């Protein structure tokens, strides 16, 4: 059976759907911190990933063999609650790594992020092994987590796999605390208000990816031949790199009257510490990664799905 933590989040909600397509609803248990009474899901349980005993009993009770551990605190929120961000992101990962070491589970997926790169990292086509001196709590926790994953793999043979996600763009859930979430917000605002005040400056280029590509990459990596995997920290992954101005121009091809303005806030410093684009040649070589959604296709897909979701004609 498969366990997904953070299953009500931006990635978790879509990964749960994709995994259930493949393995069946009854074989994919979705969990998050919310009370089941408020959750529309046939196979959901509350799970506080800070509670190691609760994790162990859920794993045993449901005969869990594979875990996708997505519960975490994202970059902007973690800057407001540094200690809680570190504790949540790190302690929960170590609980699952220990379960894998003790053979209580067979395989673990844990997401990292381009946030592990910092201001000193070369920003264009950032290499798999580029300098990682993150300047955010989130980036520090993700880089530390990568090194723990590699340690448990090298020392105890744990089959843990990871991807450094760029900013992810999706329409099924509202944005939650990410610096790259301007690229999700903008679509809602464009359709609902016809205008958007962006919390990053117009030339802030960041690595981005449409959610369908990120979900497919995650499942392809987890199904890849382990002997082909040369990276056990976390794989660089690339598809799109654009600025808020470029995204606004693409939206205006569909909504000519859409207007964008810029009012950078504390998240600008976070974005400025991150790369603009990523080199993912190692993922291409090790497990044949290829993205499918370019800027035009992503924009068209986002607007079409959000119009339906927001019941806007
Ligand atoms: C964030 N969406 O903004 C996440 C992601 C690269 C950005 O890690 O925190």
């Amino acid at each position: 059976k498969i366990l997904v933590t953070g299953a009500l989040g931006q990635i978790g909600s879509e990964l749960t759907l994709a995994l259930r397509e493949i393995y069946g609803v009854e074989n994919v248990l979705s969990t998050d911190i919310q009370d089941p009474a408020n959750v529309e899901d046939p196979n959901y349980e509350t799970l506080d990933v800070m509670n190691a005993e609760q994790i162990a009993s859920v794993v045993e009770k449901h005969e869990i063999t594979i875990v996708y551990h997505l519960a975490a605190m994202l970059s902007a929120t973690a800057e407001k609650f540094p200690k809680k961000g570190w504790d949540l992101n790190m302690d929960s990962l170590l609980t699952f790594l220990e379960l894998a070491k003790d053979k209580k589970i067979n395989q673990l997926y844990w997401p990292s992020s381009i946030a592990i790169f910092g201001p000193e990292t070369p920003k264009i086509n950032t290499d798999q092994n580029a300098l990682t001196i993150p300047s955010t709590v989130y980036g520090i926790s993700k880089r530390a987590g990568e090194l723990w994953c590699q340690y448990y793999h090298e020392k105890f043979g744990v089959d843990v796999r990871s991807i450094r996600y760029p900013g992810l763009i999706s329409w099924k859930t509202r944005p939650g605390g990410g610096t790259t979430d301007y690229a999700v917000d903008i679509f809602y605002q464009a359709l609902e208000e016809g205008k958007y005040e962006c919390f990053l400056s117009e030339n802030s280029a960041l690595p981005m990816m449409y959610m369908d590509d990120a979900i497919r990459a995650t499942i392809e990596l987890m199904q890849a031949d382990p002997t082909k995997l040369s990276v056990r920290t976390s794989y660089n992954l690339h598809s799109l790199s654009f600025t808020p101005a470029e995204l606004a121009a693409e939206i205006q091809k569909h909504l000519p009257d859409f207007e964008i303005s810029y009012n950078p806030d504390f998240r600008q410093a976070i974005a400025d510490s991150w790369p603009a684009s990523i080199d993912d040649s190692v993922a291409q070589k090790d497990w044949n990664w290829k993205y499918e959604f370019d800027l035009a296709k992503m924009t068209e897909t986002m607007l079409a799905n959000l119009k339906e979701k927001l019941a806007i004609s």
Side-chain angles (χ1 to χ4, degrees):
K1 297 280 181 70
I2 295 172
L3 166 65
V4 180
T5 71
L8 300 180
Q10 184 191 19
I11 303 172
S13 55
E14 307 225 22
L15 186 60
T16 300
L17 292 172
L19 289 169
R20 285 175 172 172
E21 286 286 304
I22 301 168
Y23 301 103
V25 174
E26 68 287 355
N27 292 315
V28 182
L29 174 66
S30 59
T31 65
D32 210 311
I33 199 74
Q34 278 84 331
D35 185 292
N38 312 325
V39 177
E40 294 282 310
D41 181 316
N43 192 15
Y44 171 89
E45 279 189 15
T46 295
L47 176 60
D48 174 358
V49 294
M50 295 304 283
N51 184 331
E53 289 72 41
Q54 194 187 7
I55 288 176
S57 68
V58 164
V59 164
E60 193 183 344
K61 176 183 156 196
H62 294 278
E63 299 170 334
I64 300 296
T65 52
I66 299 175
V67 176
Y68 288 78
H69 176 37
L70 303 175
M73 187 184 290
L74 293 185
S75 60
T77 311
E79 289 305 293
K80 294 176 184 163
F81 308 102
K83 182 68 172 61
K84 187 158 176 11
W86 171 263
D87 290 346
L88 172 59
N89 294 358
M90 285 298 88
D91 293 355
S92 62
L93 171 62
L94 284 164
T95 298
F96 283 111
L97 286 170
E98 279 291 297
L99 284 174
K101 173 188 164 212
D102 297 343
K103 307 271 186 275
K104 297 279 195 316
I105 58 176
N106 302 337
Q107 195 181 35
L108 172 62
Y109 179 78
W110 180 74
S112 182
S113 163
I114 56 106
I116 60 125
F117 296 116
E120 292 92 340
T121 308
K123 290 195 179 305
I124 307 301
N125 294 328
T126 303
D127 187 79
Q128 173 71 41
N129 299 308
L131 190 64
T132 60
I133 309 179
S135 55
T136 63
V137 171
Y138 177 73
I140 293 165
S141 73
K142 287 298 183 182
R143 181 55 180 157
E146 290 186 0
L147 296 170
W148 275 119
C149 291
Q150 179 176 258
Y151 182 89
Y152 270 78
H153 176 74
E154 302 294 331
K155 286 280 186 300
F156 310 117
V158 166
D159 185 4
V160 52
R161 305 184 189 188
S162 178
I163 287 173
R164 290 166 180 168
Y165 291 127
L168 298 182
I169 297 164
S170 62
W171 54 271
K172 291 195 181 80
T173 58
R174 286 260 181 185
T179 299
T180 57
D181 288 335
Y182 88 84
V184 178
D185 268 337
I186 191 169
F187 286 101
Y188 282 88
Q189 303 288 322
L191 288 167
E192 290 174 326
E193 315 291 334
K195 61 184 186 328
Y196 179 59
E197 183 181 89
C198 186
F199 56 73
L200 296 183
S201 64
E202 63 183 297
N203 298 319
S204 303
L206 286 171
M208 296 281 191
M209 182 175 284
Y210 185 57
M211 182 60 78
D212 290 16
D213 272 342
I215 298 299
R216 179 172 53 84
T218 306
I219 294 172
E220 283 178 6
L221 172 59
M222 287 293 273
Q223 294 180 340
D225 173 354
T227 64
K228 299 270 195 321
L229 303 182
S230 65
V231 172
R232 289 290 181 159
T233 46
S234 185
Y235 277 93
N236 275 12
L237 206 67
H238 184 70
S239 67
L240 305 176
S241 170
F242 54 74
T243 64
E246 289 164 337
L247 179 55
E250 192 62 34
I251 291 172
Q252 282 157 349
K253 290 179 186 172
H254 300 268
L255 303 169
D257 301 335
F258 168 64
E259 288 174 5
I260 186 166
S261 58
Y262 301 96
N263 183 16
D265 67 12
F266 75 100
R267 288 167 285 194
Q268 185 63 49
I270 297 173
D272 289 344
S273 75
W274 290 347
S277 60
I278 299 291
D279 176 299
D280 62 3
S281 49
V282 180
Q284 293 176 38
K285 180 173 68 60
D286 285 9
W287 45 282
N288 299 320
W289 164 246
K290 277 183 287 303
Y291 76 89
E292 290 174 7
F293 284 78
D294 61 11
L295 181 58
K297 189 176 175 188
M298 180 274 286
T299 302
E300 192 180 329
T301 308
M302 280 294 286
L303 289 172
N305 283 292
L306 273 180
K307 273 182 190 161
E308 216 175 297
K309 176 179 174 182
L310 302 173
I312 293 174
S313 56

